[in-house]
Amino acid sequence: MAESTEPMDTQENRRDFLKYFLGGGLIAWLAAILYPMMAYLKPPKQAEVEVTSVKAGKVGAVEKDSGTIVRFGNKPVILLRNAAGEFRAFSATCTHLDCTVQYRKDMGLIWCACHNGRYDLNGRNVAGPPPRPLDEYRVVIQGEDILISKKA
Amino acid sequence: MKTLWSKTYHWINERVELDGLVEFMGKKYVPVNSHSIWYYFGGVSLFLFIIQVVTGILLLLYYKGGEALAFESIQFIMSKVQFGWLIRSIHSWTANLFILTALIHMFSVYFGKAYRKPREITWVTGMLMFFLAMGFGFSGYLLPWNELAFFATKVGTDIAGAVPVVGKPMMVFLRGGEEVTGATLSRFIGFHVAVLPGLFTVLLGIHLLLVQRQGMSEPLSYEEESPKERKTMPFFPNFLLRDMLLWLIVLNLLAILAVFFPWELGKKADLFASAPAGIKPEWYFLFMFQTLKYIPGKVFVFDGEVLGIMTFGLGGLLWLLVPFWDRKSSRGERNRFINYIGLFIVLYIIILTIVGWIL
C-alpha cells in the first residue's frame, strides 16, 4: 500500500508541476500578446496647451440680447449679452449628452437642440433632461475687449 | 457550351464531391402556409447586405478619411465621379432598407416563435447581426463628417459613456480620445470597413448554414397538422426563383428611391457650432432618442439617462436570450405572453418613432 502510493504521489506532483508550469506559461504568453494590443487601443494623451483665458472680440461687435459660441481652447463656450448689455459666459457643452447649446432669443433661454434641454440665463437647468447647470466662466471687460476666463 | 459546363462540373466534382450538395439542394423543400410571405424577408436582407458590400467597396475607392478630407471627398464622389451620386445614394438608402427588412424578419421570427428549439443559435446569430447592423449604421453615419453626424456621434458615444464602470473607458475607446474629433473619424472608418464586416460575415455564414441545414421553421399550429395536409414547395428552383423576383423588385425600388430622393450631404461638421434645431438621429434610433427626451434628469437617486440606457440594454439582452427563457415554445406549447410582449414592443417602437419624427 505504502509502496504504491509514493510513486503515484510523485507522479501527481510532477503532473501538477507541469500543469501549472505550462498553464502559467500559456497565460503569460497570452498576456504578452494582449497587453500591447490593449495598450495600442488606448489613445495617447495629446499635449494640450492649457488655456486659461481667451479674447472673445470687441464689446461693440456683440449685439444686445444675443449669444455666440466662442472657442475656449478645444472647448466651446457660449457668450451671452442680455438686453441691458451685460455679459455672461457658460460652457456651451450640454450637461445631458454633450451637444452644443445655443441662445434662443424667442425663449430668452439657453437651449439644446438635441434633446430639448433648457437653461436659464444663469446657466441653471430649468427644463428637459439636463442633470446639472452649465459651468460658468468669468467675463471681464478690458477697455473694448471681452475677456473670458475660467472661474477659479 | 453544354460540354464545357459539364466538364467543369465534372472537374470540380471529382475533387470536392459536389454531387452530395446538389442532391441536398434538390431534396430541399420550403413549407407553404399562410405565413410563407415572411420567409422572404431574410433573403431580401441578404440581398441588401450584398448591395452594401458592393457599393461600399466602390465608395471606398474614392473616399478619404480625416477631418479635412472626408466631407470634401464625398462632395467629390457626388459631383465629379461618374455615377458617384448614384452609388452613394444607393448605399445610404440600402442601409435604411436593410435595417427595415431585418427588423421585419426579426419580428416575424419572434412572433412565429421560430427561435424555439432547435433554432436558438440561428436566432442568436441573427440578433448579433442586427446589433452589428446598428453599429454599421452608427459608424457609417459619421463618415461624411457632416453637422448632423458630428452631433449624433457626440450623443451616441456619450450615451455609451454613461454606462456604469465600463462606460468611460468604452467612450474613450470609441472616440479615440476624450472628445469627438478626427481621431473618432479614423476609428469609425476602421470599424465600418474592417471590424464590422469581418464579424458580420462570420455570423452570416453560421446563420445561413443553419438555415440550410435545419430548413424553415413552421408556425406551431402547422406542426400539429398531419404531414399529408402540410404543403411544401421545392427550394430549387421554385422558392429561389420567387426570391430572385423579389430581389429584382427591391432593386428597382432602390433605384427609384436613389434617383428621385437622392441622399443629402448637409453641412460640413463644425466643432464650434451649436447643434442645429430639428436635429434627429436615424429613424431606427428615434424611439430610444425620444424616450431619453421624456426621462427627467433624476429619477429617485438614479441619473435619468443612465436609467434609460440600462433599461434599453437589459431589454436588448432579454430579447437576445428569448429562446432560453421561453421554455413553453420550445416544448411546443403556445405562449401568448410572448405575443403580448412583442406586440407591446412593436407598438412602443412605432408610436415613439412617429412622435419623434413629428416633434
Side-chain angles (χ1 to χ4, degrees):
Chain A
M1 189 87 174
E3 277 171 14
S4 59
T5 45
E6 250 195 23
M8 277 289 273
D9 269 358
T10 349
Q11 240 184 8
E12 230 153 74
N13 280 341
R14 198 178 292 166
R15 180 165 296 170
D16 277 352
F17 171 75
L18 278 175
K19 207 161 74 187
Y20 291 122
F21 183 75
L22 292 176
L26 184 71
I27 289 168
W29 179 78
L30 274 175
I33 289 171
L34 290 177
Y35 179 74
M37 283 174 73
M38 299 306 283
Y40 180 89
L41 288 175
K42 199 174 159 210
K45 283 259 177 292
Q46 304 272 4
E48 270 170 32
V49 186
E50 182 72 22
V51 179
T52 50
S53 79
V54 294
K55 222 182 254 185
K58 305 277 181 204
V59 173
V62 181
E63 275 179 51
K64 284 182 184 175
D65 191 17
S66 75
T68 40
I69 303 288
V70 177
R71 251 183 123 115
F72 193 91
N74 62 357
K75 297 211 158 44
V77 163
I78 186 163
L79 176 68
L80 302 173
R81 189 172 194 195
N82 66 16
E86 291 161 15
F87 287 97
R88 309 203 82 163
F90 300 96
S91 157
T93 306
C94 184
T95 55
H96 178 221
L97 289 175
D98 219 16
C99 281
T100 310
V101 297
Q102 58 185 288
Y103 176 63
R104 282 284 294 259
K105 226 180 201 176
D106 53 339
M107 298 176 185
L109 284 169
I110 302 169
W111 180 67
C112 180
C114 289
H115 303 94
N116 202 18
R118 290 159 199 231
Y119 305 85
D120 65 15
L121 298 185
N122 293 313
R124 277 193 305 245
N125 46 322
V126 289
R132 281 192 317 280
L134 296 170
D135 292 333
E136 193 172 354
Y137 283 69
R138 195 205 315 267
V139 184
V140 181
I141 309 295
Q142 272 184 354
E144 262 296 279
D145 290 329
I146 307 164
L147 285 176
I148 298 175
S149 57
K150 268 193 181 149
K151 277 207 160 175
Chain B
M1 195 64 202
K2 176 100 181 164
T3 48
L4 182 70
W5 170 246
S6 57
K7 261 187 192 164
T8 314
Y9 178 84
H10 186 70
W11 193 91
I12 299 172
N13 189 37
E14 259 187 333
R15 283 154 183 85
V16 293
E17 288 171 30
L18 271 183
D19 279 343
L21 194 65
V22 171
E23 202 194 307
F24 173 77
M25 295 298 274
K27 277 192 191 149
K28 196 176 148 55
Y29 289 93
V30 177
V32 176
N33 54 55
S34 58
H35 299 283
S36 286
I37 174 91
W38 304 112
Y39 292 148
Y40 293 94
F41 281 90
V44 170
S45 305
L46 172 65
F47 175 59
L48 294 172
F49 177 71
I50 295 167
I51 295 183
Q52 285 310 73
V53 173
V54 174
T55 51
I57 290 170
L58 289 174
L59 288 172
L60 203 51
L61 299 181
Y62 287 104
Y63 178 76
K64 292 179 185 143
E67 253 174 290
L69 297 168
F71 184 85
E72 286 76 3
S73 73
I74 306 260
Q75 261 180 336
F76 178 76
I77 290 172
M78 289 176 72
S79 58
K80 296 277 169 21
V81 181
Q82 293 190 68
F83 293 108
W85 58 273
L86 182 65
I87 302 295
R88 194 228 162 198
S89 205
I90 286 183
H91 195 74
S92 303
W93 270 112
T94 307
N96 284 275
L97 287 191
F98 175 74
I99 299 272
L100 183 69
T101 56
L103 259 179
I104 295 171
H105 180 50
M106 178 184 85
F107 277 111
S108 74
V109 167
Y110 178 86
F111 284 113
K113 324 277 190 311
Y115 53 74
R116 69 185 184 273
K117 193 184 168 192
R119 295 186 176 78
E120 298 98 323
I121 305 168
T122 320
W123 168 265
V124 170
T125 50
M127 277 313 298
L128 293 179
M129 277 193 283
F130 188 73
F131 295 143
L132 288 183
M134 291 178 103
F136 266 118
F138 184 64
S139 58
Y141 198 61
L142 182 68
L143 304 198
W145 196 246
N146 61 26
E147 206 179 32
L148 293 177
F150 174 67
F151 285 109
T153 306
K154 266 176 104 86
V155 171
T157 47
D158 209 68
I159 285 175
V163 176
V165 192
V166 291
K168 190 74 202 305
M170 195 157 73
M171 185 189 88
V172 173
F173 163 70
L174 288 171
R175 288 184 172 179
E178 294 283 329
E179 305 286 330
V180 174
T181 59
T184 318
L185 181 57
S186 298
R187 292 210 162 187
F188 275 37
I189 296 167
F191 298 147
H192 193 78
V193 308
V195 179
L196 296 174
L199 293 174
F200 196 96
T201 307
V202 172
L203 290 170
L204 182 63
I206 298 170
H207 195 76
L208 292 177
L209 193 74
L210 288 172
V211 170
Q212 289 306 314
R213 233 193 119 103
Q214 300 184 316
M216 301 292 203
S217 164
E218 282 181 274
L220 278 167
S221 52
Y222 286 81
E223 278 189 349
E224 290 157 12
E225 282 177 29
S226 68
K228 270 185 192 166
E229 282 169 49
R230 288 153 77 174
K231 281 187 254 163
T232 57
M233 87 167 74
F235 178 82
F236 191 85
N238 301 38
F239 189 79
L240 194 68
L241 283 175
R242 279 160 204 247
D243 244 353
M244 294 291 141
L245 180 65
L246 189 59
W247 289 18
L248 201 63
I249 293 169
V250 169
L251 187 64
N252 280 296
L253 177 71
L254 261 177
I256 291 168
L257 288 170
V259 170
F260 292 104
F261 305 95
W263 211 264
E264 285 183 23
L265 180 54
K267 271 166 72 180
K268 185 174 174 172
D270 177 354
L271 274 58
F272 294 93
S274 302
I279 187 165
K280 279 189 186 87
E282 292 277 73
W283 62 269
Y284 43 89
F285 291 120
L286 212 51
F287 73 98
M288 292 189 267
F289 167 89
Q290 197 59 28
T291 308
L292 285 186
K293 269 192 188 176
Y294 291 137
I295 301 177
K298 281 265 178 227
V299 183
F300 306 116
V301 286
F302 304 106
D303 229 20
E305 70 190 51
V306 175
L307 198 70
I309 295 154
M310 297 304 283
T311 308
F312 278 121
L314 193 68
L317 189 67
L318 284 175
W319 189 257
L320 170 74
L321 297 177
V322 64
F324 305 102
W325 54 263
D326 174 17
R327 308 303 310 169
K328 258 182 150 181
S329 295
S330 286
R331 285 197 301 264
E333 296 164 32
R334 269 164 201 274
N335 192 348
R336 289 192 192 281
F337 180 59
I338 290 289
N339 293 357
Y340 298 142
I341 296 174
L343 215 59
F344 171 75
I345 291 171
V346 171
L347 287 176
Y348 185 86
I349 291 177
I350 291 177
I351 291 170
L352 268 101
T353 304
I354 293 172
V355 171
W357 191 259
I358 298 166
L359 293 183

